[in-house]
Amino acid sequence: MFLKFRVNQFLKLSEIPLIHFYDFYNMVLSMIDDGAQIVHYLGFVENNCKKLMIVLRTIDNNDNNDNNLFIAITFAPTEYLAFTSQAKKFHLFEREIHEEFSINIQGHPQLKAVRSATTLSEEYQFYNITGDSVHQVAVGPVHAGIIGPGHFRFNCMGERVAHLEIKLGYQHRGVEKLICKSCFDITKLSNLMECVAGDSAVTNILTFSELIESAFELEKEGIITSDIKIIRTIALELERLSNHIGDLGALSGDVAFLPPDAYFGRMRGEFLNLLLLLSGNRFGKGLIRPAINFYKINLLDINYIEKKLNELLTEIKHVSELLFSTQEIIDRFEGIGVIDNKTALDLGLVGVAARASGVKYDVRKNFLPGYYSVLEKENKNITIQQRLSGDVWSRARIRYKEILDSISIIKNMLENLKSKTDYKTVEQSQDDSNFSSNYLLFKNKLQSKLLPSSAVIVAINEGWRGELTHLMITDEKSKIIRYKIKDPSFHNWSGLAYAMRDQEISDFPLCNKSFNLSYCGFDL
Amino acid sequence: MPIEMLERFDRIVNQRVNKLLLNRLEQGYRTTKYPNVDVNLSKPYRGRPEINFEADMITMKLCEENCPQSAIIANSEKKALNLGRCVFCGECERLSDGKFIHFTTDFSLATATQEDLVLCEENVIPKIEREINGKIRKLFGKSLQLRQVSAGGCNACEADINVLNTPFFDLSRFGIQIVASPRHADGMLITGPISKNMKLALLKTYEAIPDPKIIIAIGSCAISGGVFYESSEVVGGVDRILPVDLFIPGCPPHPLTTLKALIDYFSKY
């Protein structure tokens, strides 16, 4: 009874099955039992009526590419028995629904606020383990490093962590509210999307752009040329490269082996500088906008990027060889922060953390968004990296393998760009003499269009942390009534809490870094 | 110890030392010669905006209306661009074809007051007057410890502060260090629009820093609320709740912008 649909498919609200909650409940649970994972589970208000919407995905593990998305809506009951009591992966989703729509979700083990100010008040009850030998360690919100704020509460027995509770919400800036509140201004919204999580700026703006493009059905009009898609995909991969390399360096630094930390730290900057070359900003801000790319690359840039990538590839291989063959590193990475395959699936982990625990899921391969479908046809797409041990070592190795993959597909895409005969004539768009008048016309045309009424669109991309998705619901007056951003961290913070069980508390920085999750992407 | 074991041990150590040395040789010295040698950033970088005060009114009005940050004022009396509000998205440059506002590759953007951030006919280039802070330079000129607090920052500003510690920028060669505790700090680097949920923690961190202390607001969020200026969940600029000594605009500011600002404002070198 669920509706099967594709990524970026334009759905009318009326098409989506509106199911009685009793059936909804049973069907969701039976799909979860069959291995479905949550993409979105959210509440929204339409015509003064509270509703719940769920988007599930099923991933085919047998390479037949039979991956599907399912959606259904139900009227929100005033109270119901928590999904979380049956499936852990609902934990944060249900807390969020409880917080935003005050639905009484019974049997939920920790029905606390996720982001609102009550998370800060004295009322917030931490999970306490009592006993003579148990003590608590409180860390944050202000941390020792240069990172976002969050509060970590450890219940420890000696050095051993029995339980870690992660309390976030400090970075809450009301992003989703801001999107619905403001009148639909593409420039403003695009700037906002790039600031949801600065380290995933490209992923967020790309997902937003794809969503808006499918809302206006621009893909059919042929506006989104393969050139545009290639540059977007290069930017996405550069973002992945810079972050993965930074993470490898920081992991090494966390166990006090400093040479790779220094070398990778510098190389990370080189990739950010390549993004600067593409977009004028080290984080790719300003490059991607719905239906348009402001910056085009010329042959000179292509050659420069290729040369730089080749140089860096050699260095990365050499430093990684040093990193992964050093005895102290092996000692400190192996068997630390283990998440086994079953736990990873139960918690619904995504991205690097999931693949390190043997979960075969990568949006780039499974849902083929944007230019990845072309790469897939040319047999140049990535292969999904997988490891089974689920420890810090695995997460580091997966990052290294993905770095190699990303460099090779960027090179492939640059080849594709070069093979176009007219490419030499393409210059920077700003040098175009009629650029501003054309741009104004284009912008007004896009802005004058109304968003489709009563529609739902889901866009998904593989950010460097994992699956990042946006969902938009409009009402009959074409106003956005709900815009949901789900950062991969929303799934993976629970993974970090699990990874710390039975670990020494001194391994926390290492485990934390091996996940490297987003505070602001979670807090929105 | 049997001789085979010794040989094996020897081999492992040699391999390890070789890898370390080879990597060290390959990496070489990468620290920038800045500020002794000028650095030029490549073209698409959007740095200090240049305003053409002679541009025609229609274009100026178009930019004023379309600025997503309401950072531009254009009327017959005044033409101005507020760097504190600007997120350097380049929309005005695109709309005016660079004829009204043009982003140069100059990365020197920081100022010591909010007023200096407003670029207008009387104030074309943002600058830090070296005279105004003689006392601060005397105190912190050769050693400055800073604590960083992200209060709603999106991690872009934070990441670009972090890179100042990499070998390329090597902030510590100027005697400036980022420290883990406010008790060890002479001041605070603040990023983000100050989410209401972070306000208390930020003020407590401020109180924990011994006097005299300095506050640096990094990024358009910390100066004016940035893209979140209309949100009810944020306080807005840092100077609404704390006195700010140095403003470093950008979204995020390029590491060189921050580096230059810190050197200009503090360093005796």
Side-chain angles (χ1 to χ4, degrees):
Chain A
M1 272 221 293
F2 275 51
L3 179 71
K4 196 156 114 179
F5 72 111
R6 282 172 288 109
V7 177
N8 293 334
Q9 189 183 347
F10 173 102
L11 295 170
K12 278 280 180 194
L13 264 178
S14 51
E15 287 176 73
I16 303 169
L18 183 63
I19 317 173
H20 188 275
F21 186 77
Y22 179 78
D23 296 328
F24 178 84
Y25 189 83
N26 289 330
M27 275 164 50
V28 167
L29 279 184
S30 82
M31 284 191 70
I32 294 284
D33 278 345
D34 293 342
Q37 296 286 359
I38 315 163
V39 177
H40 282 287
Y41 179 42
L42 69 154
F44 65 102
V45 179
E46 195 206 4
N47 298 332
N48 291 325
C49 181
K50 281 185 203 169
K51 290 176 182 172
L52 295 175
M53 175 185 281
I54 194 162
V55 180
L56 296 168
R57 63 173 160 89
T58 56
I59 297 303
D60 175 31
N61 284 326
N62 303 323
D63 292 326
N64 299 325
N65 245 344
D66 184 25
N67 309 297
N68 292 305
L69 289 170
F70 295 91
I71 190 168
I73 305 177
T74 181
F75 288 107
T78 48
E79 60 175 32
Y80 75 92
L81 186 66
F83 284 120
T84 311
S85 56
Q86 315 269 334
K88 290 174 199 145
K89 58 192 96 168
F90 279 96
H91 167 223
L92 275 165
F93 288 96
E94 288 194 315
R95 275 172 68 177
E96 189 182 69
I97 288 171
H98 170 72
E99 179 178 36
E100 289 173 12
F101 295 91
S102 42
I103 293 169
N104 184 15
I105 299 172
Q106 289 167 344
H108 192 290
Q110 299 192 14
L111 207 54
K112 305 170 190 175
V114 185
R115 304 184 178 103
S116 69
T118 52
T119 55
L120 308 176
S121 70
E122 301 290 315
E123 293 158 35
Y124 190 93
Q125 287 289 319
F126 283 101
Y127 180 77
N128 284 332
I129 298 174
T130 46
D132 286 346
S133 53
V134 184
H135 68 279
Q136 288 197 355
V137 180
V139 184
V142 180
H143 295 286
I146 309 173
I147 48 167
H151 183 92
F152 301 102
R153 185 66 66 98
F154 299 89
N155 278 285
C156 294
M157 282 179 263
E159 293 283 291
R160 217 187 85 209
V161 176
H163 180 77
L164 160 63
E165 183 169 346
I166 301 167
K167 185 175 93 170
L168 300 174
Y170 297 95
Q171 301 284 72
H172 183 53
R173 298 146 296 171
V175 173
E176 289 174 354
K177 249 196 280 172
L178 211 53
I179 297 168
C180 298
K181 200 173 76 178
S182 69
C183 54
F184 184 68
D185 177 339
I186 287 187
T187 319
K188 213 170 188 167
L189 283 179
S190 303
N191 285 349
L192 182 63
M193 287 299 160
E194 288 172 336
C195 290
V196 170
D199 50 23
S200 305
V202 175
T203 324
N204 270 307
I205 185 67
L206 175 62
T207 313
F208 169 74
S209 298
E210 286 178 353
L211 193 146
I212 295 297
E213 282 155 13
S214 18
F216 291 139
E217 297 183 300
L218 296 172
E219 183 87 46
K220 284 180 198 157
E221 292 177 26
I223 292 176
I224 322 300
T225 58
S226 64
D227 274 20
I228 291 185
K229 285 188 187 167
I230 288 177
I231 294 176
R232 286 175 174 187
T233 315
I234 291 175
L236 184 66
E237 293 302 330
L238 284 175
E239 184 176 83
R240 189 185 324 279
L241 279 166
S242 62
N243 283 297
H244 278 357
I245 287 173
D247 283 351
L248 284 184
L251 275 169
S252 180
D254 269 351
V255 296
F257 185 49
L258 297 180
D261 188 17
Y263 305 152
F264 280 137
R266 200 258 316 157
M267 280 183 233
R268 175 176 170 277
E270 303 270 3
F271 285 105
L272 293 178
N273 287 341
L274 289 182
L275 263 177
L276 183 109
L277 183 76
L278 283 183
S279 68
N281 182 293
R282 279 163 56 92
F283 293 84
K285 291 183 177 181
L287 173 67
I288 301 167
R289 288 291 179 269
I292 195 169
N293 275 20
F294 291 138
Y295 297 91
K296 290 179 177 159
I297 42 178
N298 52 34
L299 204 61
L300 218 64
D301 293 337
I302 295 178
N303 289 336
Y304 176 77
I305 295 176
E306 272 187 338
K307 191 182 122 231
K308 207 77 200 161
L309 283 178
N310 285 333
E311 256 174 54
L312 286 165
L313 181 62
T314 330
E315 288 181 31
I316 289 167
K317 280 184 175 162
H318 290 166
V319 181
S320 299
E321 223 171 273
L322 169 68
L323 175 72
F324 290 116
S325 68
T326 301
Q327 202 59 45
E328 296 96 303
I329 294 284
I330 301 170
D331 244 22
R332 294 286 285 114
F333 283 15
E334 270 185 352
I336 302 294
V338 179
I339 301 243
D340 61 35
N341 183 263
K342 187 177 173 300
T343 314
L345 288 170
D346 281 353
L347 294 174
L349 300 191
V350 294
V352 174
R355 292 192 281 277
S357 300
V359 178
K360 202 173 174 189
Y361 174 54
D362 190 317
V363 178
R364 292 177 288 170
K365 187 83 179 172
N366 291 116
F367 289 114
L368 304 171
Y371 198 70
Y372 294 104
S373 56
V374 182
L375 289 171
E376 179 75 14
K377 272 181 214 142
E378 293 172 357
N379 260 333
K380 286 172 181 165
N381 201 0
I382 51 132
T383 47
I384 300 181
Q385 299 295 342
Q386 249 180 310
R387 290 184 75 87
L388 292 171
S389 53
D391 50 7
V392 174
W393 173 263
S394 286
R395 289 189 279 276
R397 286 297 297 182
I398 294 265
R399 284 197 165 88
Y400 173 58
K401 293 281 184 195
E402 291 193 7
I403 288 167
L404 301 183
D405 275 357
S406 290
I407 291 180
S408 94
I409 63 172
I410 291 179
K411 278 192 199 160
N412 284 330
M413 284 186 284
L414 290 176
E415 279 304 315
N416 284 3
L417 272 183
K418 266 209 259 186
S419 65
K420 293 186 181 166
T421 46
D422 63 333
Y423 213 77
K424 276 170 207 159
T425 59
V426 178
E427 287 296 310
Q428 288 243 323
S429 50
Q430 273 96 336
D431 301 339
D432 214 337
S433 58
N434 290 329
F435 178 78
S436 69
S437 49
N438 286 342
Y439 173 60
L440 192 64
L441 272 176
F442 171 81
K443 197 183 158 185
N444 287 342
K445 198 176 140 202
L446 199 64
Q447 200 69 67
S448 65
K449 284 186 184 177
L450 276 178
L451 282 171
S453 58
S454 307
V456 180
I457 302 162
V458 181
I460 307 187
N461 265 303
E462 183 79 13
W464 61 277
R465 285 193 181 95
E467 169 205 275
L468 189 141
T469 92
H470 288 200
L471 179 148
M472 181 175 75
I473 307 175
T474 56
D475 66 3
E476 62 263 26
K477 287 179 197 130
S478 300
K479 195 177 165 351
I480 302 174
I481 49 171
R482 189 83 168 96
Y483 196 95
K484 186 88 205 79
I485 299 168
K486 194 208 66 194
D487 195 271
S489 313
F490 200 72
H491 296 284
N492 287 4
W493 277 113
S494 321
L496 174 61
Y498 262 77
M500 276 313 290
R501 292 213 170 156
D502 267 338
Q503 295 292 315
E504 280 186 30
I505 191 167
S506 51
D507 283 333
F508 177 68
L510 185 60
C511 285
N512 191 14
K513 201 65 199 169
S514 74
F515 281 86
N516 194 7
L517 301 172
S518 175
Y519 297 83
C520 44
F522 178 97
D523 291 342
L524 297 174
Chain B
M1 214 185 283
I3 194 82
E4 304 89 70
M5 263 187 83
L6 268 177
E7 273 173 2
R8 190 161 159 252
F9 184 72
D10 199 42
R11 208 164 56 237
I12 290 170
V13 170
N14 273 335
Q15 276 175 2
R16 160 90 189 270
V17 170
N18 284 346
K19 271 181 198 155
L20 267 174
L21 286 177
L22 287 174
N23 268 298
R24 182 68 193 83
L25 287 172
E26 185 177 56
Q27 294 295 324
Y29 290 94
R30 305 290 187 123
T31 305
T32 172
K33 297 241 173 7
Y34 185 83
N36 298 329
V37 176
D38 278 343
V39 178
N40 291 317
L41 292 171
S42 55
K43 173 69 183 68
Y45 168 68
R46 293 183 296 278
R48 175 177 59 81
E50 224 168 44
I51 308 172
N52 173 16
F53 299 98
E54 307 303 316
D56 70 294
M57 207 53 191
I58 303 166
T59 317
M60 291 199 271
K61 275 284 167 206
L62 183 74
C63 294
E64 184 187 27
E65 280 159 24
N66 277 284
C67 177
Q69 290 297 111
S70 314
I72 300 172
I73 298 170
N75 51 43
S76 46
E77 285 109 59
K78 198 172 183 189
K79 286 131 201 132
L81 170 66
N82 188 341
L83 281 183
R85 299 189 70 107
C86 180
V87 291
F88 300 79
C89 66
E91 187 73 1
C92 45
E93 185 176 33
R94 284 189 282 276
L95 286 171
S96 68
D97 241 346
K99 281 171 196 142
F100 174 39
I101 288 169
H102 165 66
F103 286 89
T104 64
T105 55
D106 179 8
F107 55 79
S108 169
L109 294 166
T111 68
T113 61
Q114 277 271 23
E115 293 78 58
D116 285 349
L117 283 172
V118 182
L119 299 187
C120 54
E121 263 172 300
E122 299 82 48
N123 177 33
V124 186
I125 294 171
K127 56 191 165 292
I128 298 166
E129 304 289 349
R130 277 188 81 88
E131 299 80 54
I132 60 165
N133 62 343
K135 193 183 163 208
I136 287 176
R137 195 171 291 118
K138 202 172 168 190
L139 279 169
F140 303 125
K142 285 192 169 175
S143 159
L144 176 69
Q145 322 290 316
L146 294 167
R147 172 67 253 221
Q148 200 276 327
V149 175
S150 166
C154 75
N155 209 19
C157 288
E158 289 82 346
D160 262 357
I161 295 170
N162 230 337
V163 294
L164 291 175
N165 286 324
T166 60
F168 183 79
F169 296 103
D170 195 12
L171 186 65
S172 42
R173 70 198 151 115
F174 303 103
I176 304 172
Q177 253 135 17
I178 294 174
V179 293
S181 166
R183 301 269 188 226
H184 302 160
D186 304 312
M188 191 157 50
L189 293 166
I190 302 174
T191 54
I194 314 194
S195 50
K196 286 190 172 159
N197 293 355
M198 248 329 260
K199 190 178 163 190
L200 179 67
L202 181 73
L203 292 174
K204 281 189 173 178
T205 312
Y206 177 75
E207 279 161 25
I209 300 174
D211 279 323
K213 48 195 162 190
I214 42 140
I215 302 285
I216 303 166
I218 293 197
S220 58
C221 285
I223 298 173
S224 68
V227 296
F228 303 103
Y229 73 102
E230 287 171 318
S231 172
S232 55
E233 301 288 332
V234 303
V235 174
V238 176
D239 61 355
R240 291 191 187 171
I241 53 171
L242 291 171
V244 179
D245 298 279
L246 184 58
F247 298 89
I248 306 179
C251 187
H254 193 281
L256 284 171
T257 307
T258 313
L259 187 63
K260 182 170 194 311
L262 293 177
I263 296 171
D264 282 358
Y265 194 72
F266 296 105
S267 191
K268 274 187 174 171
Y269 294 103

